Amino acid sequence: MSLVLDPTAQDLLFREARTANTFTDEPVTDEQVQAIYDLVKYGPTAFNQSPLRITLVRSAEARERLVKHMAEGNQPKTAAAPLVAILSADNEFHEELPELFPHFPQAKDAFFAERPVRENSALLNAALQAGYFIVGVRAAGLAAGPMTGLDFEGVRKEFLDDDHTPLMVVNIGKPGPDAWFPRSPRLAFEQVVTTV
């Protein structure tokens, strides 16, 4: 059985997609970011909780504040990327559930009254949404450079608050010269899939 998605789109989103390490200076517009969000917001999450929050780092001052929290190897590319997004999980996502899950608005209190439960659920579902976000960046014809080499607590204190948990930083833009490391191997189907 073949995939329904056009092979060119399959290549764009998956086969040819790589983590970019250099970028051109072509700007990433607010309209592009809006289009990415308008696509990826439809990716499913448990209870439609949608806990991902995106902080766009555009100004030179904010970029400088962020770069100091990145691992040494990630600092130059974060400083040079046209746009940087901090992806975080909103641990108070349950406040939006009456609107996002209207057929059972009681889910807010029935399932998510306790903070540790919310934190676990927010982390899992925001990570899922982060994957959608990366694919959405690719669908916009841009390259994404997701990174977890950073001081998470430093980023949280610098840009977020106690109700948000940083997940990753994503550099976004058109790939520059020598943007890609060699393609790393992938596991074979038989190594991943088990039938019981």
Side-chain angles (χ1 to χ4, degrees):
M1 178 180 157
S2 62
L3 299 173
V4 174
L5 190 65
D6 177 81
T8 304
Q10 294 173 36
D11 288 343
L12 176 71
L13 299 178
F14 295 101
R15 291 191 199 97
E16 302 289 328
R18 311 283 289 285
T19 296
N21 293 289
T22 68
F23 298 89
T24 69
D25 59 2
E26 183 178 329
V28 177
T29 67
D30 289 338
E31 291 77 19
Q32 287 173 300
V33 177
Q34 177 77 52
I36 291 165
Y37 177 72
D38 285 343
L39 175 66
V40 304
K41 70 183 179 183
Y42 293 108
T45 56
F47 293 91
N48 196 34
Q49 63 189 246
S50 307
L52 182 71
R53 300 296 179 262
I54 303 164
T55 303
L56 298 178
V57 181
R58 284 202 182 274
S59 72
E61 178 269 334
R63 186 74 60 102
E64 188 175 318
R65 288 169 41 217
L66 176 60
V67 166
K68 71 181 181 184
H69 296 293
M70 301 304 294
E72 186 176 344
N74 291 334
Q75 289 180 355
K77 54 191 170 186
T78 303
L83 179 64
V84 182
I86 300 168
L87 305 187
S88 63
D90 182 358
N91 296 309
E92 297 298 310
F93 68 85
H94 69 307
E95 297 295 344
E96 309 294 338
L97 285 181
E99 178 184 346
L100 293 175
F101 206 60
H103 54 283
F104 185 43
Q106 303 89 336
K108 172 187 177 220
D109 298 314
F111 296 105
F112 300 110
E114 296 180 16
R115 175 72 180 233
V117 173
R118 289 198 306 274
E119 288 177 351
N120 287 336
S121 190
L123 192 62
L124 174 65
N125 285 280
L128 182 63
Q129 287 186 283
Y132 300 146
F133 180 79
I134 292 165
V135 172
V137 167
R138 294 171 179 172
L142 300 169
M147 300 169 291
T148 56
L150 56 112
D151 173 4
F152 284 89
E153 186 58 17
V155 168
R156 188 192 63 73
K157 286 180 179 177
E158 192 81 43
F159 292 95
L160 306 170
D161 59 32
D162 289 340
D163 290 331
H164 293 80
T165 303
L167 301 171
M168 66 184 68
V169 168
V170 183
N171 293 329
I172 304 168
K174 293 283 187 181
D178 302 316
W180 322 116
F181 293 143
R183 171 72 80 187
S184 296
R186 298 297 192 264
L187 293 173
F189 180 84
E190 297 77 16
Q191 293 173 280
V192 176
V193 177
T194 303
T195 302
V196 294

